[in-house]
Amino acid sequence: PLAPFHWEIEFPEVFSRENSGFDAFVGNPPFMGGKNISGAYGDAYLDSLKMSFTNTGGQADLVAYFFRACFGNLRIGGSFGLLATNTISQGDTRRAGLYSIRTNDGYIYNAIRRMNWPGQAAVIVAVVHVVKGREPRTYVLDRRRVPKITAFLFHSGPDDDPVSLAESSNIAFTGEYPYGTGFLFSPDGKDCTTVDEMEVLIQHDSRNADRIRPYLGGAEMLSDPRQQPNRHVIDFGDMNEDEARRWPDLFAILEQKVKPERMRLKDNADGKRLKQSWWLWCRTRPALREAREHYDKVLMHAFPSSHFAFSFIPTSVVIASPHPVFATDSFRMFAIMQSRVHEIWVRFFASSLKDDLRYTPSDCFDNFPFPRGNSRSDKLEDLGTRYYEFRCKVMTDQQEGLTKTYNRFHDPHEKSSEIAHLRELHEAMDRAVLEAYGWDKLAKDARCEFLLDYEEEDDDLANASGYDGGNPNPKRKRGKKKPWRLRWPDEFRDDVLARLLELNEQRAEEERLAGLHAEDGKRQPAPKRRGRKKPAAGQTELFG
């Protein structure tokens, strides 16, 4: 029932000439989030897009396929100018659209990265101009002359995604995963054992305390002013069954509450393993466990989290999966990771869940180029210590956790002296990190403002693109505003991001020449070492 459209048949005069193809495309193609395409048009339509346009992944916004179609139908020297969602330079949409165009002899010669849509939809759009096969004489980004324009719509840096760096290996992990609430003791005892019962077990046999450890999740980390765990967990390490039975009270709990759950698992490889060793955890992170032998505390970030916030957690505490854990006790490292330099990297490359940030080591840490050298390490160590200790004081004085503290931090109406001082310490820490990279001019110019981000909704984007998604009566919704955030302006942020991407590319090339990267640019498997030892007194490692 569908009338097919064939470019070459419809426009024979365009494609039968020498140097075939169109001279130009001008348009406002439809926008639709990749996750919604199959729901609106069916799996067959999405499959046809992925078949027609390779290396798209199936998660790209619909507009990326229109970019590819226009580019593919241009002649050499032809160009297009198209409107796009402002995510055209981000994530899967960038890889499917602008990255593919840039790696196939396309040049972005003019772009406006953010433009308020003049219609009813409260969204931000981008305008992108591309020429095929002929390098332009000039490049103009946001109405300013620049040396080039990358697939990220930056004036410098690479088109490729950043790669994992060998220098950042064996530091970031995800927390441990028991798999089974029966391992836990909690205050309410829901689906597990109560803390009161745990105390009775320890009084009955003091040896039980040897196999019970504090257990911390993201909720406690973000809400408790001291990040104190309110749960505990039974941990038999890698013991066999006979060894574990030496703690009969604890073993009986697992036999009653964990074993039945494990026995209901499917008989695949993981299921069989968990059934055979039902008294052991699903994942224990041996490298992380060894790191605990060299540090008194490690860094943690909640997953997901409404705010960007790291905290030191004692190594005696089990940090639950999937929260990321970092084997360091350095306040220099904390200063770098808590700084806006790292935050903008994470927010650009991490995925999100609703408004929450999902920090994953592979997307956010392993590829981040940390500053090298130790000439300014003492300053970073001092500022990181001062910031961290003052933040702890604010939380304990106000009896508020990280979430409420950073809600106040980013609230433009918050005028309290302690939050004002925390903001000052944060900006000083940011400047010190920029200086550690040697970007003194940026450090001098760094200024934060209270700014709003927008979460574009697909209905809004459809309206902005003049596309109703097949709905004869599309509802026009106002763009949902995210909370205020005290952050760098977009232009300054993009400059820092471009420098970080360029630095990642340089470091990756250095590691490739040193044999630490494969020919395809990916990091070689890290050497098999069971953790990262803390440097001896007087020694310094890359991350302090």
Side-chain angles (χ1 to χ4, degrees):
L2 297 176
F5 181 88
H6 195 285
W7 286 101
E8 288 85 348
I9 293 175
E10 296 292 336
F11 299 98
E13 70 279 12
V14 170
F15 291 95
S16 61
R17 61 178 175 168
E18 187 177 354
N19 185 17
S20 64
F22 286 92
D23 297 285
F25 281 95
V26 178
N28 180 12
F31 316 156
M32 177 179 283
K35 62 184 179 182
N36 296 324
I37 294 174
S38 60
Y41 297 108
D43 293 336
Y45 180 67
L46 181 59
D47 290 342
S48 71
L49 288 176
K50 292 191 290 185
M51 188 186 307
S52 301
F53 304 99
T54 58
N55 301 319
T56 58
Q59 296 296 314
D61 192 288
L62 184 62
V63 73
Y65 300 103
F66 279 79
F67 269 60
R68 290 276 293 273
C70 289
F71 183 75
N73 286 306
L74 285 175
R75 70 190 313 200
I76 301 301
S79 63
F80 69 67
L82 300 176
L83 289 177
T85 164
N86 72 323
T87 60
I88 190 67
S89 61
Q90 300 173 19
D92 292 321
T93 303
R94 178 193 66 84
R95 284 186 286 272
L98 294 182
Y99 176 73
S100 177
I101 289 170
R102 286 284 297 122
T103 53
N104 284 279
D105 221 14
Y107 298 89
I108 306 166
Y109 66 89
N110 196 313
I112 298 173
R113 290 179 285 193
R114 299 171 190 88
M115 184 177 77
N116 290 316
W117 182 251
Q120 293 187 34
V123 296
I124 309 297
V125 297
V127 186
V128 181
H129 299 79
V130 169
V131 63
K132 183 175 184 177
R134 291 180 184 172
E135 186 171 0
R137 294 181 180 180
T138 60
Y139 296 88
V140 178
L141 181 61
D142 294 333
R143 300 183 176 86
R144 294 190 307 167
R145 290 277 294 271
V146 292
K148 69 175 184 178
I149 302 177
T150 71
F152 291 97
L153 298 186
F154 291 158
H155 64 277
S156 64
D159 297 295
D160 290 305
D161 283 322
V163 300
S164 296
L165 300 172
E167 65 184 24
S168 299
S169 63
N170 296 309
I171 301 171
F173 309 90
T174 53
E176 300 181 270
Y177 184 36
Y179 193 89
T181 54
F183 284 98
L184 300 178
F185 299 95
S186 73
D188 59 15
K190 184 178 181 181
D191 299 325
C192 55
T193 310
T194 66
V195 173
D196 290 340
E197 291 177 82
M198 178 189 77
E199 298 294 344
V200 171
L201 291 174
I202 294 174
Q203 290 176 7
H204 174 258
D205 185 349
S206 60
R207 293 186 314 117
N208 287 330
D210 298 337
R211 305 262 54 103
I212 299 175
R213 300 176 55 200
Y215 185 77
L216 183 69
E220 307 97 289
M221 185 262 194
L222 293 172
S223 61
D224 189 280
R226 293 179 173 83
Q227 285 94 46
Q228 294 289 331
N230 59 14
R231 295 177 295 171
H232 290 71
V233 63
I234 298 171
D235 179 12
F236 282 125
D238 57 359
M239 293 182 182
N240 61 38
E241 184 173 352
D242 290 337
E243 291 171 326
R245 285 186 179 276
R246 290 161 48 199
W247 286 266
D249 296 335
L250 303 182
F251 193 87
I253 291 175
L254 301 187
E255 197 164 25
Q256 177 188 353
K257 298 185 177 183
V258 174
K259 185 177 181 180
E261 182 181 357
R262 293 280 184 92
M263 293 303 116
R264 290 193 293 268
L265 294 174
K266 294 180 179 179
D267 282 329
N268 54 26
D270 284 340
K272 289 180 180 179
R273 175 177 63 86
L274 292 174
K275 286 180 179 181
Q276 290 171 355
S277 302
W278 52 265
W279 62 93
L280 299 181
W281 293 1
C282 177
R283 298 188 186 93
T284 56
R285 314 296 184 196
L288 175 59
R289 289 197 166 204
E290 182 164 341
R292 288 200 298 261
E293 299 177 8
H294 306 290
Y295 296 97
D296 295 326
K297 59 181 182 288
V298 290
L299 268 181
M300 173 187 177
H301 191 285
F303 180 98
S305 174
S306 56
H307 291 292
F308 187 74
F310 295 86
S311 278
F312 283 111
I313 305 299
T315 51
S316 58
V317 174
V318 175
I319 297 175
S321 176
H323 309 293
V325 188
F326 308 89
T328 179
D329 60 0
S330 161
F331 282 99
R332 176 184 183 274
M333 185 70 157
F334 167 80
I336 297 169
M337 294 181 68
Q338 186 63 63
S339 74
R340 290 184 175 92
V341 178
H342 188 49
E343 180 178 4
I344 62 173
W345 181 271
V346 172
R347 291 192 180 277
F348 194 81
F349 290 107
S351 61
S352 60
L353 179 64
K354 297 182 180 179
D355 288 345
D356 291 341
L357 189 67
R358 306 178 74 179
Y359 191 115
T360 52
S362 59
D363 292 333
C364 307
F365 184 91
D366 295 347
N367 54 15
F368 182 73
F370 284 83
R372 287 175 173 170
N374 302 296
S375 59
R376 306 186 189 190
S377 291
D378 290 343
K379 184 176 182 179
L380 283 174
E381 184 80 14
D382 175 63
L383 283 169
T385 303
R386 288 167 54 196
Y387 179 92
Y388 190 85
E389 291 179 350
F390 185 76
R391 190 183 70 180
C392 289
K393 183 178 184 301
V394 171
M395 291 193 296
T396 53
D397 287 350
Q398 299 298 319
Q399 283 300 292
E400 293 179 341
L402 284 169
T403 297
K404 290 185 177 180
T405 300
Y406 278 107
N407 283 343
R408 296 171 61 205
F409 181 93
H410 291 290
D411 184 355
H413 303 295
E414 175 65 55
K415 305 297 182 183
S416 64
S417 59
E418 70 269 13
I419 293 298
H421 186 53
L422 187 64
R423 291 166 179 163
E424 291 171 0
L425 288 174
H426 205 305
E427 290 204 31
M429 192 167 64
D430 292 339
R431 287 192 291 272
V433 173
L434 289 169
E435 290 169 356
Y437 282 98
W439 302 335
D440 291 7
K441 177 66 166 56
L442 281 181
K444 184 178 179 181
D445 295 339
R447 296 290 184 276
C448 290
E449 302 174 14
F450 289 103
L451 298 169
L452 280 173
D453 289 337
Y454 286 86
E455 179 183 275
E456 290 101 357
E457 298 181 2
D458 291 326
D459 286 343
D460 288 324
L461 294 176
N463 292 327
S465 64
Y467 179 65
D468 65 5
N471 182 355
N473 297 301
K475 294 181 180 180
R476 295 174 180 265
K477 298 179 182 178
R478 297 294 295 177
K480 179 185 175 184
K481 291 181 178 179
K482 287 186 178 181
W484 292 95
R485 187 176 302 134
L486 183 60
R487 62 177 178 86
W488 289 329
D490 292 334
E491 184 176 338
F492 188 91
R493 177 198 64 189
D494 291 348
D495 191 5
V496 176
L497 270 173
R499 291 171 184 245
L500 290 172
L501 282 164
E502 196 166 28
L503 190 56
N504 172 274
E505 185 180 47
Q506 293 172 5
R507 299 272 180 87
E509 178 63 12
E510 291 172 6
E511 293 183 356
R512 187 190 68 80
L513 294 174
L516 299 176
H517 278 264
E519 288 303 316
D520 59 3
K522 295 181 180 180
R523 190 177 72 194
Q524 295 277 30
K528 290 185 178 180
R529 43 182 177 159
R530 305 285 292 187
R532 187 180 183 88
K533 291 187 178 181
K534 185 176 179 179
Q539 291 184 332
T540 306
E541 61 176 346
L542 176 63
F543 303 105

